Amino acid sequence: MEILKRLQLPAHLKPRPTDEANLRFGDIYSDHMFLMDYFAGQWRNPRIEPFGPLTLSPAAMVLHYSQTIFEGLKCYRRPDGRLALFRPRDNFARLNRSAERMSIPLLDEAFLLQALKELLKIDGQWTPSHPGSALYIRPFVFATEPHLGVRPSKEYLCLIITGPVGPYYKEGFAPIKIYVESYYSRSAPGGLGEVKAGASYASSLLATEKAAQKGYTQLLWLDSVQHRYIEEVGSMNMFFVIDGKIVTSPLTSGTILPGLTRASVLTVAAHLGLPAEERPLEIEELIAAQKSGRLSEAFGSGTAAVISPVGLLHYQEKDYVVADGQVGRITQTLYDELVSIQYGFKTDPYGWVELLD
Ligand code: COI
């Protein structure tokens, strides 16, 4: 399919942010966006247009029944000025897994990558170069058919928007405080936890707000059946260093998002000879490990969050400090290694980086 292009008039191009050191997450958008429609049983009309508002029927099914999915990936500016995507094919593969779970028609992954590359030929110059910043890329798909009966929509819109971002958390690469949630649940077995459905994020807002009011940056979700096993932090997968070994929850329950940064951390750890294991971890075991001094570090991983050290866990009315509230050695090592590959300070031995022309 040919991608039609309607470019913004030069006089209407937006000024790019000049203060790259203070970029926040998710406030600024580049000049163009990619769009593609689905109707009459086929994806059609791929196009790149100026970034701007959409027209939608008030009866569009997404507004009523939340049939929407998304992805998040980043484009990095390297020291030689070239741009690089990190594991983009894995993001589009996961988008299709989300589509399948949410009864959304599958997309051509190779075509989406081509569309993204064409979009970046136009807007790639929005990629900032300040350390820790990147161009965030948000592909998403939602149901547009005007219809109020509950069934899968017959019409959809697929978009890719981009924008320069800084750190996801206001703390930057500094330890965050996490509230362990023992009442609300993020995902039940058989639910949406292992895909990127907008509905999962909406359902986490109330609990996250309550924790934020108490001064905690994020929630650590426990399993929804017993509130016993550690799952993830909505915007990140979680890792703990216990007895010198990196531990993360396995993906077998289907309630945890298979994070690409999570997978990258496990691969990098193996490469660096850092012992790591995927195993069920009970919150009580974690707290006991903290009390006995065996829990030395905790950190989260995500595309937006990169690797975020955790300096404090709050569980059942008590605060538990981790790594003296500092960035732990293993957390720093993994962060340095991953970021060096993403930004091209080190060669990528894993085949994750996709350089743009
Ligand atoms: C990402 O890390 O890219 C995500 O999609 C998580 C989102 C909460 C920002």
Side-chain angles (χ1 to χ4, degrees):
M1 274 192 293
E2 199 199 335
I3 301 176
L4 284 183
K5 298 186 184 86
R6 181 170 66 80
L7 300 191
Q8 183 61 282
L9 294 171
H12 292 177
L13 291 173
K14 293 179 280 191
R16 296 205 287 274
T18 46
D19 188 9
E20 287 189 356
N22 289 308
L23 279 172
R24 293 185 308 186
F25 182 86
D27 289 339
I28 300 174
Y29 305 99
S30 318
D31 286 310
H32 297 88
M33 59 186 178
F34 168 79
L35 302 97
M36 182 165 63
D37 306 312
Y38 181 94
F39 59 89
Q42 237 181 304
W43 285 106
R44 353 168 148 250
N45 307 336
R47 58 202 184 273
I48 290 175
E49 293 179 357
F51 181 94
L54 305 170
T55 305
L56 208 58
S57 165
M61 294 180 83
V62 66
L63 301 177
H64 305 273
Y65 309 124
S66 303
Q67 202 189 358
T68 178
I69 55 172
F70 69 96
E71 270 302 319
L73 65 156
K74 280 179 175 168
C75 175
Y76 301 88
R77 190 176 290 281
R78 300 159 77 87
D80 62 4
R82 287 189 76 182
L83 301 179
L85 294 167
F86 186 71
R87 308 189 73 167
R89 290 160 204 271
D90 295 313
N91 284 95
F92 289 124
R94 189 172 61 187
L95 186 70
N96 260 343
R97 293 202 298 278
S98 301
E100 190 178 7
R101 176 64 182 84
M102 296 299 285
S103 300
I104 290 174
L106 296 188
L107 298 112
D108 179 336
E109 294 165 26
F111 178 72
L112 280 183
L113 181 56
Q114 180 199 332
L116 171 59
K117 287 181 175 173
E118 293 203 24
L119 182 63
L120 293 178
K121 271 192 189 141
I122 300 166
D123 277 351
Q125 72 272 21
W126 279 82
T127 309
S129 55
H130 190 270
S133 67
L135 188 77
Y136 187 72
I137 299 162
R138 171 54 59 90
F140 58 111
V141 187
F142 61 90
T144 51
E145 186 190 349
H147 180 74
L148 294 185
V150 180
R151 58 155 172 77
S153 173
K154 292 179 186 155
E155 297 168 16
Y156 298 86
L157 197 57
C158 166
L159 289 99
I160 305 177
I161 59 173
T162 71
V165 297
Y168 186 67
Y169 300 119
K170 67 172 175 10
E171 291 89 339
F173 183 66
I176 59 168
K177 294 180 183 180
I178 284 192
Y179 183 96
V180 182
E181 178 60 55
S182 20
Y183 173 69
Y184 292 105
S185 301
R186 174 182 173 274
S187 169
L192 301 179
E194 64 182 343
V195 299
K196 281 184 92 68
S200 298
Y201 294 78
S203 76
S204 72
L205 296 176
L206 178 64
T208 309
E209 273 201 308
K210 287 186 176 180
Q213 278 158 13
K214 294 180 193 152
Y216 302 93
T217 312
Q218 284 287 310
L219 283 192
L220 175 56
W221 298 102
L222 302 178
D223 76 276
S224 62
V225 180
Q226 303 179 73
H227 282 100
R228 185 169 156 197
Y229 292 98
I230 285 168
E231 298 221 312
E232 62 154 279
V233 172
S235 52
M236 306 192 290
N237 294 109
M238 279 303 298
F239 292 82
F240 302 92
V241 182
I242 303 174
D243 291 328
K245 197 177 219 181
I246 303 166
V247 181
T248 193
S249 307
L251 303 175
T252 40
S253 60
T255 53
I256 297 177
L257 189 84
L260 297 176
T261 314
R262 174 189 181 278
S264 307
V265 165
L266 288 171
T267 304
V268 166
H271 190 81
L272 297 178
L274 299 169
E277 62 179 348
E278 296 174 77
R279 68 164 171 92
L281 178 60
E282 291 188 30
I283 183 65
E284 293 299 344
E285 179 192 339
L286 187 70
I287 297 301
Q290 191 275 352
K291 286 181 179 163
S292 60
R294 293 183 304 115
L295 170 68
S296 53
E297 299 180 38
F299 61 92
S301 70
T303 296
V306 195
I307 284 182
S308 278
V310 172
L312 187 140
L313 294 164
H314 180 93
Y315 179 57
Q316 292 183 342
E317 310 307 325
K318 285 205 186 100
D319 282 343
Y320 297 92
V321 173
V322 184
D324 293 327
Q326 307 293 314
V327 180
R329 186 180 55 82
I330 291 177
T331 307
Q332 184 74 54
T333 303
L334 289 167
Y335 175 86
D336 290 343
E337 185 70 11
L338 193 63
V339 162
S340 301
I341 292 168
Q342 290 171 331
Y343 287 89
F345 301 131
K346 267 191 181 173
T347 45
D348 164 23
Y350 312 105
W352 289 336
V353 168
E354 192 141 340
L355 281 171
L356 300 181
D357 302 331

